[in-house]
Amino acid sequence: MPTKLKKDVTLEAGKSYTLVYTMYKLGSYLFSDGSVSSLAEGKSAGKTPVGFVVDETKRIAIALNNAGGDKKQWATTNSQKATTLWTQSEQGLRDGIKEYNGVDAERGGYKETWVSSKTRNQEVRTESTNFPAFYAIKDLTPVNGKKWYVPGVGDWALALKLFGIDDPAAGYKAAKPAINPWSKATTQGLGYKYQNIVFTQAGGTPLNSWYWTANQWNAGGETAITLTTKAEGAFFGGAKLKSSTFVRPFINY
């Protein structure tokens, strides 16, 4: 195991030294064969990690990297696309997060991504270049026969709570949402560093930008819900559909 000392130390012959390590139990990773285990166990068996488990009961995992690499538009035109819009308020966020129950959630990311009835013109978003953020998901390799999807607000809330955001909906306002800090109490004292380690040690990309959700606000039908993450904390927001930002897939394995 590589060791990085806080300062230069001269080791003398004939003397013994004690090295003290701080070990963290980070959680479980999803591997390309569908198995779930610690990173060390999976890699020692020659497996390739593809995601990090954010809810073991619901079997939800977040991908280690963004889909398609660069930023994508949610849609190529600023007009209402989703059949169900979210009330743009803190209570609207809370209601959506509360109703979330995994892949079967009516406003969850899976159905918004893969079910045609969730789009006003009956398009499956992953099949249409009119939805670049969703189209980027199309050719991702399934795991256990399950497909990746653009996460809904409920999916993101699972990840945020695991990574230390105690109340992801707290303080939301359309004009100026509150930044919710990363808790050290629920992340072994690590705070923001927790998710940073989770992704980087597996060759992934930490959450350090803003990302699409699969949901739309009821703000004239032109705005999709976004999530912003940075060292200070995280918050939900919104952006015009023709804006471009990152897509971080989730999967119900």
Side-chain angles (χ1 to χ4, degrees):
M1 177 183 296
T3 300
K4 184 177 181 180
L5 301 176
K6 292 184 177 180
K7 60 181 180 179
D8 293 334
V9 176
T10 301
L11 302 180
E12 299 180 22
K15 290 188 175 182
S16 61
Y17 297 86
T18 300
L19 295 178
V20 179
Y21 289 93
T22 300
M23 304 293 287
Y24 298 101
K25 179 176 174 55
L26 295 176
S28 299
Y29 288 82
L30 174 67
F31 294 84
S32 59
D33 67 345
S35 62
V36 172
S37 71
S38 68
L39 184 63
E41 181 181 344
K43 294 188 76 172
S44 67
K47 300 178 181 180
T48 301
V50 293
F52 186 74
V53 177
V54 297
D55 193 298
E56 292 186 357
T57 301
K58 293 182 175 67
R59 297 176 65 84
I60 305 294
I62 181 174
L64 298 180
N65 290 291
N66 300 323
D70 57 354
K71 296 179 179 181
K72 310 291 182 187
Q73 293 177 307
W74 200 97
T76 55
T77 58
N78 285 328
S79 60
Q80 183 179 340
K81 304 297 189 300
T83 53
T84 303
L85 301 178
W86 287 52
T87 301
Q88 193 171 15
S89 66
E90 180 176 330
Q91 190 57 51
L93 269 179
R94 293 192 182 283
D95 290 344
I97 291 171
K98 183 178 180 180
E99 80 175 25
Y100 180 77
N101 63 355
V103 71
D104 292 325
E106 287 302 320
R107 294 195 285 177
Y110 183 85
K111 287 193 174 182
E112 295 283 3
T113 301
W114 290 101
V115 177
S116 62
S117 63
K118 293 300 178 181
T119 306
R120 294 185 80 189
N121 64 357
Q122 302 297 298
E123 283 185 294
V124 176
R125 298 178 199 172
T126 51
E127 301 293 334
S128 173
T129 55
N130 293 326
F131 299 92
F134 296 85
Y135 194 74
I137 299 287
K138 179 182 178 181
D139 295 323
L140 295 181
T141 304
V143 178
N144 275 345
K146 305 294 182 65
K147 296 180 286 191
W148 296 89
Y149 57 89
V150 178
V153 167
D155 298 290
W156 271 120
L158 291 178
L160 290 176
K161 289 176 182 178
L162 180 69
F163 293 144
I165 303 295
D166 296 331
D167 185 355
Y172 175 79
K173 293 181 180 180
K176 192 175 181 180
I179 300 174
N180 296 305
W182 307 96
S183 170
K184 290 190 175 182
T186 57
T187 55
Q188 303 171 69
L190 291 170
Y192 177 70
K193 293 180 181 178
Y194 173 60
Q195 66 88 20
N196 197 304
I197 295 171
V198 161
F199 291 106
T200 55
Q201 75 168 3
T205 306
L207 301 175
N208 55 11
S209 186
W210 59 292
Y211 305 86
W212 289 121
T213 77
N215 305 114
Q216 274 191 268
W217 290 122
N218 63 349
E222 300 179 351
T223 306
I225 305 177
T226 60
L227 173 74
T228 297
T229 60
K230 50 187 178 179
E232 295 82 3
F235 58 92
F236 287 107
K240 296 294 186 182
L241 304 184
K242 289 178 66 176
S243 303
S244 294
T245 194
F246 295 108
V247 183
R248 181 60 66 97
F250 278 55
I251 193 168
N252 178 218
Y253 62 90

